[in-house]
Amino acid sequence: MHDRGIFVSSPSDAEMQPFRDRVRAGLLSWGARPEMWEQLAPRDAAPERAYLDGVDRSSVLFLLLGSRYGVADDTGYSPTHKESNRAKQRQITRLLFTRCDLLPSARDGRLNDWLSSLYAELSGGKFSEPDGLWSRVEMRLREIAAEEQQFWIKLGSFVFPGNVQQRR
């Protein structure tokens, strides 16, 4: 994960800040490059352009959802929803984590609707406190790293890295 861009997406509010801080600290300890609103350098570009560029620079997007959908703009979507849509469009791995200590009635109705569609396309993890969230995120990072291990091919006495493709 060294110097790998990993986008942390959630509403940027008091509810989610402790979770965002813990995931950022954990990613830094792994040598990853957290891409998140707090980390984006000021630019001349509009804020939407800045956070979507952050998604584009990433290979994984962690979607952390609590009780709020976020503030929808004139398109009807929140920044978090746009970040997730961008990652889907770019075929960037998206991993969903939701607070398990909230009943659906404690969530924005718009968030419940979005979660229904997300559950149909993504597997999800649950969390209730920052360290528990980091444990789940770290477990998923280990799985991603294991899946990306390089295959080695041996032909006679030659051994070299390669990819194996199966054809029918």
Side-chain angles (χ1 to χ4, degrees):
M1 295 296 157
H2 181 70
D3 202 37
R4 188 168 180 179
I6 299 177
F7 200 91
V8 180
S9 179
S10 77
S12 292
D13 58 18
E15 172 194 12
M16 297 307 293
Q17 199 58 53
F19 301 104
R20 295 173 64 81
D21 291 344
R22 181 62 184 103
V23 171
R24 180 179 49 241
L27 291 173
L28 289 170
S29 75
W30 270 56
R33 185 174 23 86
E35 295 280 352
M36 48 200 312
W37 181 247
E38 302 89 324
Q39 304 295 111
L40 296 174
R43 347 173 142 205
D44 291 335
E48 180 177 344
R49 178 81 255 143
Y51 63 73
L52 292 179
D53 285 348
V55 173
D56 292 344
R57 288 189 301 271
S58 301
S59 58
V60 177
L61 179 135
F62 286 116
L63 185 57
L64 315 177
L65 298 174
S67 64
R68 293 187 53 247
Y69 174 75
V71 179
D73 63 13
D74 57 350
T75 67
Y77 292 102
S78 69
T80 305
H81 199 149
K82 287 181 179 184
E83 292 160 356
S84 178
N85 286 348
R86 177 59 151 256
K88 180 180 178 180
Q89 173 190 30
R90 300 284 181 138
Q91 298 181 342
I92 294 168
T93 301
R94 294 178 302 155
L95 301 169
L96 172 64
F97 296 90
T98 58
R99 285 194 50 193
C100 64
D101 54 341
L102 296 174
L103 296 172
S105 60
R107 289 193 171 101
D108 287 348
R110 184 112 192 240
L111 178 58
N112 283 326
D113 292 343
W114 184 32
L115 280 170
S116 293
S117 67
L118 285 171
Y119 290 142
E121 59 187 78
L122 299 174
S123 62
K126 302 212 178 274
F127 65 92
S128 61
E129 44 86 26
D131 287 332
L133 170 61
W134 173 245
S135 293
R136 293 196 174 275
V137 166
E138 189 172 37
M139 182 175 61
R140 292 294 301 171
L141 288 173
R142 289 181 193 284
E143 290 170 3
I144 290 168
E147 289 169 1
E148 294 175 352
Q149 288 294 315
Q150 182 71 48
F151 286 102
W152 291 89
I153 299 171
K154 182 176 181 183
L155 292 174
S157 61
F158 296 103
V159 178
F160 53 92
N163 293 317
V164 177
Q165 296 181 351
Q166 180 177 359
R167 295 186 186 192
R168 295 178 189 246

